[in-house]
C-alpha cells in the first residue's frame, strides 16, 4: 500500500505538468524526458526526476542505496515523537529489517488465498451499493461508487464503522493533498491540515487499539492491538496507513478503468467478455497508474544513468513514465486491453511491493464485472474532466446507466 507525503510523490508537481491538462495527461512530457534527460535534477523542486523503466526499477529494488525513510532528510522528524506523527514510521517508510518487522505480522492477511476469503464480504458490500444505484439513471461514478466501495471494504476489514466513511475520506484527502501553488502560505495551509488529520486519525485509532487489546476479534485493528513487536505509535501508524492506502488507490483504479474503457469505446466488449476484463484492469494500471510517482532518498553518493546523485538527495521515481517506456512495452502510448505479458510496476516492486495489490485487483475485478453485468448501458461524460489535487484520478465522472432487464420480467 502506498501513502502520503513520506513515500508518494504528492508534493508540488513539475512546472511542465502543473496545468489541468498537464495533470490529466502528463504523458507527452514523460516521453520527452525519457528520451532527452531520463535522470534530471529539478532545481525548483530540489529533486532528481527518474523516468526510464530500468532506472525506476533499479532504485526501487536497491534499498541499500535509496531509502524509503524520508525522516533522514526531514528536519521536523527529530523534534516530534512517533505518537505525534505515527505515519513517519510505517512499513512503507522504513527499510529492512525494520520494514520486515512492521509488515511481517500482517503480510499473510493480504496474500492471494486470504484475499479470496474476503471476496464474499466484498461482493456483499458491492451488491448493496449497486442496489442503491439501480433507481438512478444518472450518477457520479466517483462519488457514488468508486469512493464508497473501497472505503467500506477497508473499514470492514479493519473492524471500524463504515458509516463514518465521509470522515475517513476527508482524512485521506487531507493526508495526500498537495499545494495549489508554491506560495509559503499555501504550503503552510496544506501542512497544517495534514497535521490536523494525522492527529485526529491518531486519536481515533489509539482509542480503538486500547479497547481491543487482548481481544480475539478477526479484524485488523485487533490484530495490530495484539502485535507484541509493535510500539503504540507503530500500531496507530499501521491502522492509519491501511485506512488511507486501502481506499485511495482502489478508488482511482476503478475511476481510471471506466475512463479508459469509455475513452476507447470498449465498455460493451468488456461487458460481454469479448475482452478479458482482468487483463483490461492490468492495462489500466499500466496506462493510467493510480500513483504516478514515488520518492526515495539517496543514502550514499551514487551514479544513475550518468548522473551523480549525492547522499541526502531526494529522488522522484515516475512510475507513470516507466510504465510507458518503449524499451519495455510495444506501442506504449496505446491502450491494449489484452496486453500480455504486462510488466507494469504500478504497485511498485522489491520489498515495498504494495501490500494491498491482491486486494485492489480483486476489488476491481469484482466491482467492474458486477457493475457491467447489472447495467446494460454505462455512458460517461468525458467532456470536462477535472484531475484530482493529489495522486492520479478524477474529481468526478458523470455517468448515465440503464439496468439490465431481469430475464423473468
Amino acid at each position: 500500500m502506498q501513502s502520503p507525503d513520506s513515500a508518494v510523490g504528492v508534493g508540488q508537481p513539475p512546472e511542465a505538468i502543473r496545468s489541468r491538462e498537464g495533470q490529466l495527461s502528463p504523458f507527452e512530457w514523460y516521453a520527452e524526458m525519457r528520451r532527452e534527460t531520463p535522470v534530471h535534477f529539478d532545481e525548483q523542486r530540489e529533486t532528481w526526476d527518474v523516468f526510464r523503466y530500468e532506472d525506476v526499477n533499479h532504485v526501487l529494488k536497491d534499498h541499500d542505496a535509496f531509502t524509503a525513510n524520508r525522516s533522514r532528510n526531514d528536519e521536523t522528524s527529530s523534534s516530534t515523537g512517533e505518537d505525534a506523527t505515527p505515519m513517519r514510521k510505517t512499513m512503507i517508510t522504513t527499510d529492512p529489517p525494520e520494514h520486515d518487522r512492521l509488515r511481517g505480522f500482517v503480510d499473510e492477511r493480504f496474500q492471494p488465498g486470504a484475499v479470496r476469503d474476503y471476496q464474499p464480504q466484498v461482493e456483499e458490500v458491492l451488491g448493496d451499493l449497486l442496489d442503491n444505484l439501480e433507481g438512478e439513471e444518472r450518477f457520479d461514478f466517483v462519488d457514488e461508487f468508486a469512493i464508497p466501495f473501497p472505503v467500506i471494504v477497508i473499514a470492514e476489514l479493519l473492524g471500524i464503522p463504515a458509516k463514518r466513511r465521509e470522515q475517513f475520506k476527508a482524512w485521506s484527502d487531507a493526508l495526500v493533498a498537495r499545494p495549489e501553488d508554491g506560495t509559503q502560505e499555501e504550503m503552510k495551509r496544506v501542512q497544517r491540515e495534514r497535521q490536523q488529520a494525522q492527529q485526529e486519525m491518531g486519536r481515533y485509532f489509539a482509542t480503538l487499539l486500547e479497547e481491543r487489546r487482548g481481544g480475539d476479534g478477526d479484524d485488523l485493528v485487533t490484530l495490530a492491538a495484539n502485535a507484541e513487536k509493535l510500539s503504540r505509535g507503530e500500531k496507530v501508524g499501521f491502522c492509519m496507513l491501511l485506512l488511507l492506502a486501502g481506499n485511495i488507490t482502489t478508488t482511482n483504479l476503478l475511476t481510471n478503468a471506466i475512463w479508459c474503457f469509455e475513452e476507447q469505446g470498449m465498455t460493451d466488449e468488456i461487458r460481454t467478455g469479448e475482452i478479458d476484463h482482468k487483463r483490461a484492469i492490468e492495462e489500466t494500471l499500466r496506462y493510467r497508474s493510480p500513483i504516478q510517482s514515488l520518492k526515495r532518498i539517496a543514502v550514499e553518493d551514487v551514479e544513475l544513468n550518468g548522473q551523480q546523485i549525492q547522499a541526502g538527495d531526494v529522488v522522484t521515481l515516475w512510475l507513470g513514465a516507466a510504465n510507458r517506456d518503449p524499451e519495455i512495452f510495444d506501442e506504449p502510448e496505446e491502450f491494449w486491453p489484452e496486453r500480455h505479458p504486462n510488466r507494469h510496476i504500478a504497485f511498485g516492486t522489491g520489498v515495498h511491493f504494495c501490500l494491498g495489490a491482491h486486494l485492489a485487483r480483486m476489488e476491481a475485478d469484482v466491482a467492474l464485472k458486477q457493475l457491467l453485468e447489472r447495467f446494460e448501458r454505462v455512458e460517461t461524460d468525458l467532456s470536462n474532466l477535472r484531475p484530482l489535487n493529489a495522486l492520479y484520478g478524477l474529481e468526478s465522472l458523470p455517468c448515465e446507466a440503464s439496468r439490465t432487464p431481469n430475464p423473468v420480467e
Side-chain angles (χ1 to χ4, degrees):
M1 298 200 173
Q2 316 298 350
S3 111
D5 60 335
S6 51
V8 174
V10 295
Q12 185 77 345
E15 187 172 359
I17 56 171
R18 208 165 286 174
S19 66
R20 184 175 97 165
E21 293 74 16
Q23 290 296 287
L24 287 171
S25 184
F27 308 112
E28 287 187 12
W29 180 70
Y30 290 167
E32 178 184 348
M33 299 302 285
R34 261 195 325 264
R35 184 174 59 251
E36 297 182 4
T37 52
V39 178
H40 169 80
F41 187 73
D42 186 323
E43 293 185 2
Q44 186 182 52
R45 292 163 44 246
E46 298 183 325
T47 183
W48 289 94
D49 289 313
V50 182
F51 298 92
R52 287 183 180 170
Y53 184 99
E54 294 298 343
D55 294 332
V56 170
N57 195 46
H58 168 74
V59 173
L60 287 174
K61 290 182 175 179
D62 189 358
H63 55 79
D64 290 325
F66 299 94
T67 181
N69 184 0
R70 298 277 311 277
S71 65
R72 295 188 185 206
N73 203 41
D74 190 340
E75 296 175 357
T76 65
S77 62
S78 60
S79 61
T80 57
E82 69 171 29
D83 285 349
T85 54
M87 291 195 73
R88 289 289 182 188
K89 190 178 182 184
T90 68
M91 68 184 80
I92 66 162
T93 59
T94 53
D95 304 308
E98 277 288 86
H99 164 273
D100 302 337
R101 178 179 65 81
L102 294 170
R103 177 166 171 158
F105 83 98
V106 73
D107 208 36
E108 67 178 26
R109 300 287 289 269
F110 287 89
Q111 294 304 309
V115 166
R116 281 194 294 273
D117 291 340
Y118 299 147
Q119 186 162 330
Q121 187 175 354
V122 170
E123 289 176 341
E124 183 177 352
V125 171
L126 181 64
D128 290 342
L129 276 175
L130 290 175
D131 288 347
N132 291 336
L133 290 177
E134 274 203 358
E136 300 184 43
E137 291 186 358
R138 295 181 178 84
F139 59 90
D140 189 289
F141 181 84
V142 177
D143 285 342
E144 298 180 62
F145 186 78
I147 287 175
F149 172 54
V151 171
I152 295 170
V153 169
I154 197 61
E156 292 196 353
L157 295 182
L158 283 163
I160 58 180
K163 64 184 179 182
R164 295 193 62 179
R165 64 177 181 262
E166 289 186 6
Q167 178 64 75
F168 301 153
K169 182 63 170 58
W171 283 337
S172 298
D173 288 346
L175 288 173
V176 299
R178 63 185 172 203
E180 297 285 352
D181 55 53
T183 64
Q184 285 297 312
E185 182 179 355
E186 175 66 3
M187 301 277 279
K188 289 179 179 178
R189 180 193 67 80
V190 169
Q191 185 63 27
R192 184 170 59 252
E193 292 180 359
R194 184 177 296 162
Q195 289 174 347
Q196 180 179 344
Q198 282 212 52
Q199 290 167 2
E200 291 176 1
M201 285 181 78
R203 287 192 295 268
Y204 176 74
F205 280 115
T207 300
L208 282 180
L209 286 161
E210 185 61 31
E211 291 173 352
R212 297 186 191 180
R213 189 163 52 123
D216 58 1
D218 193 42
D219 59 89
L220 296 175
V221 171
T222 300
L223 180 69
N226 294 324
E228 296 180 355
K229 294 183 179 180
L230 269 62
S231 69
R232 176 182 180 275
E234 289 166 350
K235 294 174 182 180
V236 171
F238 163 79
C239 293
M240 292 171 64
L241 174 63
L242 255 64
L243 178 58
L244 170 64
N247 76 78
I248 55 174
T249 303
T250 305
T251 290
N252 292 335
L253 171 56
L254 293 171
T255 302
N256 294 352
I258 291 295
W259 180 8
C260 289
F261 301 166
E262 286 287 277
E263 183 179 63
Q264 302 294 324
M266 57 183 59
T267 304
D268 287 339
E269 293 169 277
I270 291 171
R271 175 190 293 104
T272 61
E274 294 176 57
I275 293 175
D276 186 313
H277 74 279
K278 290 188 177 182
R279 286 191 178 176
I281 290 168
E282 293 302 310
E283 180 68 345
T284 299
L285 285 163
R286 183 198 72 84
Y287 190 76
R288 285 198 168 108
S289 307
I291 292 180
Q292 291 284 302
S293 64
L294 298 173
K295 290 186 183 292
R296 293 293 185 265
I297 303 292
V299 176
E300 58 192 32
D301 294 351
V302 63
E303 180 179 322
L304 183 65
N305 206 328
Q307 297 292 334
Q308 296 296 323
I309 297 175
Q310 304 299 311
D313 284 356
V314 179
V315 180
T316 300
L317 308 169
W318 290 94
L319 304 181
N323 284 335
R324 294 191 178 213
D325 190 335
E327 293 295 319
I328 304 298
F329 303 98
D330 294 334
E331 301 292 337
E333 303 301 329
E334 298 296 322
F335 185 86
W336 289 357
E338 295 190 295
R339 185 184 295 271
H340 186 74
N342 195 334
R343 296 170 53 197
H344 71 76
I345 50 175
F347 289 120
T349 189
V351 298
H352 290 99
F353 179 78
C354 176
L355 174 70
H358 300 301
L359 177 61
R361 283 179 164 123
M362 183 268 282
E363 288 178 297
D365 172 20
V366 170
L368 294 171
K369 184 173 186 294
Q370 292 198 21
L371 173 75
L372 296 180
E373 285 178 352
R374 185 75 70 99
F375 296 101
E376 67 173 352
R377 180 180 66 91
V378 176
E379 295 180 2
T380 57
D381 181 358
L382 303 179
S383 64
N384 188 32
L385 301 179
R386 298 190 307 276
L388 287 176
N389 174 261
L391 305 184
Y392 185 73
L394 301 174
E395 287 188 3
S396 67
L397 188 59
C399 180
E400 290 189 7
S402 55
R403 188 169 69 90
T404 302
N406 190 314
V408 300
E409 292 180 346

